Amino acid sequence: MRWLQNMGGALGYIIGAMIVLPLIIFIYNKYFIKENDNVEPFIKPYMENVIELKFKMPNTSEMPFDKNPFISEQIETKLVRKNMTGSNSKLSYYRYQDIYSPLYKKHIRIGMVDLTTLFWNDIGDSTVMLKVNKDDFNNTEYGTKEKPLMCFSLRGANGPILIPGRGTKNEGKMINKDTSPEQFDYNVYMYLTYVMPRKEFKERFEKTNE
């Protein structure tokens, strides 16, 4: 009888691991992870239809010690379970800084995904060129404090090189902090997929393609 009990326990474990858990994961990922579907067709047109705005970034070293130059939001992109006891979520970090341009009279939000927090200090006190979507720039609904222009790429900033393993600055040597095309693409993809409100996504992209 004991071997039947052991077999029943093993069979239950197998059923749970191979059928029940994958089903739970599928349901969770589909219905509980915030995600806009089918963003790929809109990424390239969004990235190509841009203009650059010149802006002098604030000096982050002059900020109060209890303030960060950015706001950080955690993005859950998927639930993963490798076995019956271990579980984790795939997480990304969306960090942004809100600025105001008196020249353009626009509020702008610089957003980056999964870049180190050092990036925000490195771009401080720099004169940069900010890429924003041209349609958004010409749309009076964007550029307000409540609905800022989104910027996912910038150029013109330089930051110090860090010495590997020591975390200290490399004696005055600097490295360019321009957003790479790959990072620009990633920022846009992650924002459209996981950050942009569903209602805004439908109105901005889906309705125009119906």
Side-chain angles (χ1 to χ4, degrees):
M1 294 295 295
R2 181 174 295 178
W3 69 272
L4 286 174
Q5 292 177 345
N6 291 339
M7 182 177 291
L11 184 60
Y13 182 93
I14 292 171
I15 292 173
M18 298 185 65
I19 299 176
V20 178
L21 276 178
L23 182 60
I24 292 173
I25 293 170
F26 172 80
I27 293 173
Y28 184 87
N29 288 334
K30 185 171 180 63
Y31 295 104
F32 293 93
I33 298 292
K34 179 199 174 304
E35 181 176 358
N36 294 319
D37 299 324
N38 194 31
V39 303
E40 284 82 3
F42 311 115
I43 293 175
K44 187 175 181 180
Y46 184 95
M47 292 174 61
E48 292 178 343
N49 185 31
V50 295
I51 58 174
E52 287 191 317
L53 309 180
K54 190 175 183 179
F55 186 82
K56 176 65 167 62
M57 296 295 295
N59 189 337
T60 56
S61 64
E62 297 176 356
M63 297 181 69
F65 69 92
D66 60 340
K67 299 289 185 181
N68 282 324
F70 61 87
I71 295 174
S72 183
E73 293 184 2
Q74 187 172 277
I75 302 172
E76 185 178 13
T77 60
K78 182 180 276 191
L79 176 68
V80 179
R81 276 184 186 267
K82 295 181 179 179
N83 50 55
M84 293 289 284
T85 57
S87 66
N88 67 328
S89 294
K90 288 189 175 180
L91 301 175
S92 286
Y93 292 90
Y94 167 58
R95 297 183 174 96
Y96 62 87
Q97 181 178 12
D98 288 346
I99 56 178
Y100 177 74
S101 170
L103 176 62
Y104 303 105
K105 295 181 173 57
K106 298 279 189 180
H107 290 268
I108 303 169
R109 176 167 292 178
I110 303 172
M112 298 285 164
V113 182
D114 292 333
L115 285 188
T116 67
T117 57
L118 293 174
F119 168 82
W120 302 97
N121 292 318
D122 291 342
I123 66 174
D125 204 28
S126 300
T127 298
V128 296
M129 302 300 294
L130 307 173
K131 283 186 179 180
V132 301
N133 185 269
K134 186 177 180 180
D135 292 338
D136 291 350
F137 182 80
N138 293 326
N139 188 338
T140 56
E141 292 185 6
Y142 288 87
T144 65
K145 190 173 183 179
E146 295 74 23
K147 201 170 187 177
L149 285 172
M150 296 304 306
C151 167
F152 300 111
S153 178
L154 61 79
R155 64 182 178 89
N158 296 297
I161 301 174
L162 299 183
I163 300 174
R166 288 202 288 165
T168 55
K169 294 182 179 180
N170 193 3
E171 300 175 353
K173 293 185 178 180
M174 306 292 281
I175 186 171
N176 183 265
K177 295 293 180 178
D178 290 358
T179 306
S180 68
E182 294 77 16
Q183 182 69 44
F184 186 21
D185 182 278
Y186 182 63
N187 290 338
V188 173
Y189 170 79
M190 293 296 286
Y191 180 81
L192 295 184
T193 304
Y194 299 106
V195 181
M196 177 178 277
R198 179 62 181 165
K199 181 180 179 182
E200 182 179 352
F201 182 82
K202 288 177 68 68
E203 291 176 350
R204 173 71 188 273
F205 298 107
E206 292 184 349
K207 285 186 178 180
T208 58
N209 287 270
E210 289 178 352

